[in-house]
Amino acid sequence: MLRDFHWPRLWVAGWLAMLALVATGSLMPSSGLPDVAFPGADKLQHGGGYAAMSAYAVMLFATRRARWTAAAGLLAFGIAIELAQGAFTVDRSPELADVFANAAGIVAGLLAARTRLALLLQRVDRRLAGAREQDGRAG
C-alpha cells in the first residue's frame, strides 16, 4: 500500500527508474565504468545504492508489511543481478560479498522508517501539489 500522494505514478516511476539504473550499471561491461578509488569501494557503492532504493521504498510505502515486501524484493533483485552478471556478461562475475553489501544497504534504508525522512516524499508531493494549485488560481 502506497502512502497518500497526489501523483503516486510519478513517485513509483522514480523508484522504478532507480531500479533500471542499478540494473543497467550492474550489467554493463566493467570496461565502461570508472575505476574504483580504493579496494572495497564497490561494496560501498552497492550498499549506498541499495540503501537509497530501500529508503525511497520507505518513503513510498505506507505500511510496514509493504516496506518489508519491498525490501525482500530488493534483495531478490540484487541476487538476480548478481546471477545475471555471471550469465550474461563477459567481464563481470557474481560475488556473494556484493549480495551482503546490498543487504546491509537495504537494512540501512529501512532504518529511515523511524526518522523524518520517511515522510519526505509526501512533503515534496504536497508542496508540488500546492504550487500547482496556486499556479492554476493565478492564471
Side-chain angles (χ1 to χ4, degrees):
M1 164 161 266
L2 292 177
R3 293 184 187 273
D4 184 30
F5 294 111
H6 290 90
W7 295 295
R9 289 184 183 144
L10 173 67
W11 307 120
V12 170
W15 194 51
L16 294 175
M18 291 173 80
L19 292 167
L21 286 171
V22 167
T24 301
S26 297
L27 296 175
M28 70 185 327
S30 62
S31 59
L33 299 172
D35 291 332
V36 294
F38 54 88
D42 66 314
K43 304 308 177 251
L44 289 175
Q45 291 171 335
H46 278 266
Y50 280 78
M53 290 187 296
S54 179
Y56 194 96
V58 163
M59 292 186 280
L60 195 58
F61 296 106
T63 65
R64 182 181 299 167
R65 182 179 189 153
R67 291 189 294 268
W68 280 98
T69 300
L74 285 172
L75 184 58
F77 173 75
I79 292 168
I81 291 291
E82 290 301 314
L83 294 174
Q85 283 181 336
F88 302 118
T89 65
V90 295
D91 64 347
R92 303 192 67 170
S93 59
E95 292 184 38
L96 187 58
D98 289 348
V99 173
F100 286 126
N102 297 347
I106 292 166
V107 169
L110 285 172
L111 294 175
R114 298 193 175 270
T115 70
R116 293 178 56 167
L117 180 65
L119 301 176
L120 177 64
L121 201 55
Q122 278 185 300
R123 287 194 298 267
V124 170
D125 181 74
R126 287 187 181 126
R127 279 220 172 131
L128 291 175
R132 185 175 179 196
E133 287 174 11
Q134 286 178 353
D135 287 346
R137 280 184 258 161

